[in-house]
Amino acid sequence: MKKHIRFTAALLALGLCVSTAVSQIPVSATEETAADTSAQVQTADPSIVTTNGIAGWPQATDISSTAAVVMETSTNTVLYSKNADQALYPASAVKIMTCLLVLENSSLDDQVTMTATGVSGVTDGGANISAQLDEVFTMEQCLYAIMVASANDIALQVAEHISGSVDAFVAAMNARAQELGCTNTVFTNPTGLPDENQHITAHDMALIMEAAMANDTFRTIAATTSYTIPATNVSGGDRVLTNNFTMINNTSDGYYEACIGGKEGYTQASGSTLVCEAAKNNMKLVCVVLNGASGATDDEAIALLNYGFDNFAPLTLPDDDFNRLSGGTVIVPNGAAADSLTTEDTASDGQIQRQYYFGGTPVGTAILEDVQQEKDTAAETGTKNMKAAQEFSSSRTYAPYYIIGAIGAAFLLFFLFLMIHVIKS
């Protein structure tokens, strides 16, 4: 069955990568045959894959999953978008946010003691490592248990450890999501177990994954295929944890060499969900696939990543602006040049943020020094200084000095007159 899926994925990847070239080949109606029609790659309607509606954008085919996004991480350029803002159930992709918050609010050598809160996760119907009451783990071991074994018992316990209660931790998850720019995400638990009020979008999930993968420790954990927790104060032996995420397992049919970390989950409500990051061709791409068929999301993620790596490239713009402080690299379709871009500037606090667009879609930014504002400020300062100097001068008069000098000269003449008179007499 998996070989059949893999063959289907290969065809999908081929369609995503070559659809641009095929769509640009002119074929007249009289030359088209039934056989030719069946062989053509059909690109997705822009109402389905919205990035297909961007002028000059490489055209892509559809996938079976409900929603997906491919986003380049240095510019947040969205290369592929299908229902990217539709709210869906996240399943255990939630644990990416759980781990990010833990990393930002604890130390790896913190001691985490299991309470009734965590132990309840052993019987909640989800994945767990059979943690026991009063068992002690390091925070580092907890993070591996969450990402590698998708352990719900440990996710609940670290939530309580960090925030004092699971509810308080969930509130922190939602606050952090907003800080990252998420617009339609609601967390209700740190595990991803079904809850009708818990949802996320593919684009929001990409922003969370990007932030998590910027953390060195998370990146290491997310790429780990197996991990061993030594015997604890309660357990009698080692726990060997195995990661079921196929894209980082080089013995799996779903292995993708460029993948540097990720997580896959499944519940009946959410379907299959997959989140990953891959590095290739001087780019890092985050791929999110939501509400897919079990066993198919890894194939679709591979096809989408290949579409991104094969059709886009970073373009470093000429440094014509001597006042550019940072940025200036954009992600554009292969072969696109700087003259295909438009810009929009926003001034703030002596700097200008320049947004670059290709076909009306954002593809990168640069921060420029606001030279005009500096000139205006310098001119204003010069005017103020001149006015102050004039006021200083006008507030003083040299008349008293002239009067004193005249009196002194008269006195001297009088003294000389007296001396001459005395000598004559």
Side-chain angles (χ1 to χ4, degrees):
M1 178 63 180
K2 190 65 177 176
K3 289 183 178 179
H4 174 70
I5 294 174
R6 185 64 50 197
F7 178 70
T8 302
L11 291 178
L12 177 59
L14 178 62
L16 286 164
C17 294
V18 306
S19 56
T20 301
V22 173
S23 63
Q24 294 175 348
I25 298 175
V27 179
S28 67
T30 56
E31 295 173 336
E32 193 172 28
T33 66
D36 291 334
T37 302
S38 63
Q40 286 185 15
V41 176
Q42 299 298 314
T43 58
D45 189 302
S47 65
I48 299 173
V49 177
T50 54
T51 40
N52 280 357
I54 303 170
W57 209 251
Q59 298 295 285
T61 57
D62 193 8
I63 58 172
S64 64
S65 296
T66 299
V69 69
V70 176
M71 185 179 77
E72 195 275 332
T73 63
S74 69
T75 63
N76 283 1
T77 301
V78 174
L79 308 183
Y80 180 97
S81 175
K82 176 186 178 181
N83 297 326
D85 296 318
Q86 180 176 338
L88 296 165
Y89 295 127
S92 64
V94 165
K95 293 186 174 83
I96 294 172
M97 175 59 91
T98 300
C99 288
L100 175 61
L101 268 189
V102 169
L103 285 165
E104 292 176 341
N105 294 280
S106 68
S107 299
L108 295 179
D109 56 0
D110 283 357
Q111 302 293 296
V112 180
T113 302
M114 296 300 297
T115 68
T117 298
V119 173
S120 69
V122 177
T123 57
D124 65 4
N128 64 83
I129 61 168
S130 300
Q132 302 177 58
L133 192 65
D134 295 327
E135 190 167 11
V136 179
F137 301 96
T138 67
M139 187 61 79
E140 182 176 28
Q141 291 168 346
C142 288
L143 288 165
Y144 276 98
I146 294 170
M147 282 299 292
V148 177
S150 203
N152 291 340
D153 47 354
I154 302 301
L156 291 168
Q157 194 60 59
V158 298
E160 183 180 75
H161 178 89
I162 295 294
S163 299
S165 71
V166 173
D167 287 345
F169 187 83
V170 169
M173 293 170 70
N174 287 310
R176 188 70 176 101
Q178 290 185 350
E179 289 175 0
L180 293 174
C182 298
T183 58
N184 196 5
T185 289
V186 175
F187 294 114
T188 61
N189 63 58
T191 62
L193 285 176
D195 185 311
E196 63 180 9
N197 295 316
Q198 182 160 252
H199 60 259
I200 200 166
T201 70
H203 185 255
D204 285 357
M205 190 68 248
L207 294 174
I208 294 170
M209 182 60 168
E210 177 188 329
M213 289 295 282
N215 183 290
D216 292 340
T217 301
F218 180 88
R219 196 164 56 249
T220 298
I221 295 172
T224 299
T225 56
S226 65
Y227 181 80
T228 300
I229 299 178
T232 67
N233 62 315
V234 173
S235 71
D238 295 346
R239 286 182 175 89
V240 180
L241 313 180
T242 301
N243 198 334
N244 293 323
F245 183 49
T246 59
M247 293 180 69
I248 59 172
N249 185 346
N250 60 12
T251 64
S252 168
D253 288 341
Y255 176 64
Y256 189 65
E257 185 176 3
C259 185
I260 56 175
K263 185 157 186 50
E264 193 170 15
Y266 179 86
T267 68
Q268 187 172 359
S270 69
S272 182
T273 65
L274 184 148
V275 184
C276 69
E277 182 170 307
K280 186 179 177 182
N281 299 346
N282 297 316
M283 292 190 295
K284 288 182 179 178
L285 305 182
V286 169
C287 180
V288 180
V289 180
L290 299 180
N291 192 219
S294 180
T297 48
D298 55 352
D299 297 313
E300 293 185 336
I302 290 171
L304 294 175
L305 288 168
N306 284 338
Y307 161 80
F309 286 125
D310 292 346
N311 288 283
F312 298 87
L315 173 66
T316 300
L317 301 173
D319 194 6
D320 295 332
D321 296 303
F322 68 91
N323 56 333
R324 189 166 72 196
L325 302 176
S326 64
T329 296
V330 296
I331 304 300
V332 292
N334 290 339
D339 59 7
S340 64
L341 304 175
T342 58
T343 62
E344 181 178 314
D345 292 347
T346 303
S348 177
D349 298 327
Q351 294 183 343
I352 294 174
Q353 177 172 298
R354 175 165 294 173
Q355 179 70 64
Y356 296 97
Y357 296 90
F358 179 95
T361 196
V363 292
T365 60
I367 301 298
L368 313 177
E369 185 180 10
D370 193 343
V371 174
Q372 184 59 47
Q373 180 175 343
E374 287 200 349
K375 289 180 179 178
D376 293 343
T377 301
E380 183 180 349
T381 300
T383 300
K384 287 181 179 178
N385 290 341
M386 182 173 292
K387 184 177 180 181
Q390 290 172 342
E391 290 175 350
F392 178 84
S393 298
S394 63
S395 66
R396 287 161 173 77
T397 176
Y398 296 100
Y401 298 100
Y402 292 119
I403 295 171
I404 293 172
I407 294 172
F411 179 80
L412 180 60
L413 290 173
F414 179 73
F415 178 77
L416 289 174
F417 174 78
L418 288 177
M419 291 295 292
I420 294 172
H421 179 74
V422 170
I423 291 172
K424 287 182 177 182
S425 63

